[in-house]
Amino acid sequence: MITLTKTARLRGELTVPGDKSISHRSVMFGSIAKGVTEITGFLQGADCLSTIGCFSAMGVEIRNSGEQVTVQGRGLRGLRQPGHVLDCGNSGTTTRLISGILSGQNFPVTLTGDASIRKRPMKRIMEPLQMMGAEITSIQGNGCAPLRIQGRPLQGIHYQSPVASAQVKSAVLLAGLYAEGETKVTEPALSRNHTELMLRYFGAEVDSQETTASIRPAEELYGQKIHVPGDISSAAYFIAAGLLVPDAELLIRNVGINPTRDGILKVCQMMGANITLLNEDHSSAEPVADILVRSSGLKGCVIEGPLIPTLIDELPVIACLACFAQGETIIRDAAELKIKESNRIQVMAENLTAMGADVTETEDGMVIRGGRPLHGASIHCHMDHRIAMSFAIAALAAEGETVIQDSECVNISYPGFYEELGRVVEN
Ligand code: S3P
């Protein structure tokens, strides 16, 4: 539990922890590559540590000094059958991506995770992997983990995914490394493309055309040096804080600004925010920049369509921003929010209402009528890290005290979040 109050002034420079999606992939691809992969900037959050745990259990030697993660890759066919059930913790990325890799192995594995993971839909990966020839079953028969996977010889498919999900796309592409012939995934809108970029960086034959990604089976991947950029999903909380607090200027260094992830910047622009990108550069196949944020008056906007997958994890904090904007903000086409670490439509609407916001839940998003002052409240995060951090930011601009219950769940993606926030607050 943590208590936060209204803040008048924010100043400072910070670097946010490494990108969660890129950190997971660096260990996964490093594990199935030949040779050593050296990773700096790896996110030491619980989710990415779950990925390290799973691959260590399959015989991969992974040294994590905190500063650097070194993976002694075992090659595409070098993983060993684990001696126990693999625990993916709270991590959907671990569960879904590893399922693609395990579909191509020649041993059986059982995967599970925490109470939240055991409720999240896995049929979305089971179906395409089964189409490729994998044997993958939900042990309880409810389409959720625990999953039992028995690798089999796989055939390439062209999968028309009903959802824009990088986890689904990546699971299929990773199975495609082991399949006969080409594997393609077409999505309704482009989801984050870190898998495509990094697999290519490791030597795989990957092609991307609009919303279709394709991969050819690989002989081997080759270990690389990876510098993981700061996570724009973590930077989003400081961007929002910098915009909402009346006298604020924050410089967030070395943030990944991949165009499949930068929807938050586009929304901020639509809302009239004062944000500048500096020092644009590239780091291990990913674009990066420093982000300078200053206090801004905001106006409401409509967030929909292909923009949604590029900011899906930022919608909770965007909903908080919308409460302080003039006019209405409409979020639609975002039904995926209901199946994240919590039902983020319901949990956001519930907690924002508790703070006095005017918000209506819809089937695929929410409508927020901004400009009503918010007041502190007791926030129930449902163990969802992004809910906790979003309300920590709303608290900085609300009257009175906000108490965040289960506040420690931020460790999933941002260990040290409250300390970093405390560091930039100047009372
Ligand atoms: C992720 C993809 C997204 C995102 C999640 C991380 C990834 O999930 O919400 O936090 O690393 O591939 P979906 O693929 O379910 O959209």
Side-chain angles (χ1 to χ4, degrees), residues 19-22 24-25 47 92-93 96-97 120 124 163-170 191-192 194-195 233 261 309 312-313 336 339-341 344 385-386:
D19 187 277
K20 183 153 78 70
S21 297
I22 297 175
H24 280 300
R25 287 159 172 81
D47 267 12
T93 307
R96 297 198 178 107
L97 269 61
R120 295 181 66 188
R124 50 178 54 205
V163 280
S165 158
Q167 294 178 357
V168 171
K169 172 173 64 178
S170 303
S191 66
R192 65 192 65 192
H194 307 299
T195 294
S233 299
R261 293 286 299 284
I312 189 73
D313 292 342
E336 284 286 301
I339 53 159
K340 293 294 177 188
E341 286 83 329
R344 287 183 178 159
H385 54 132
R386 302 215 184 277

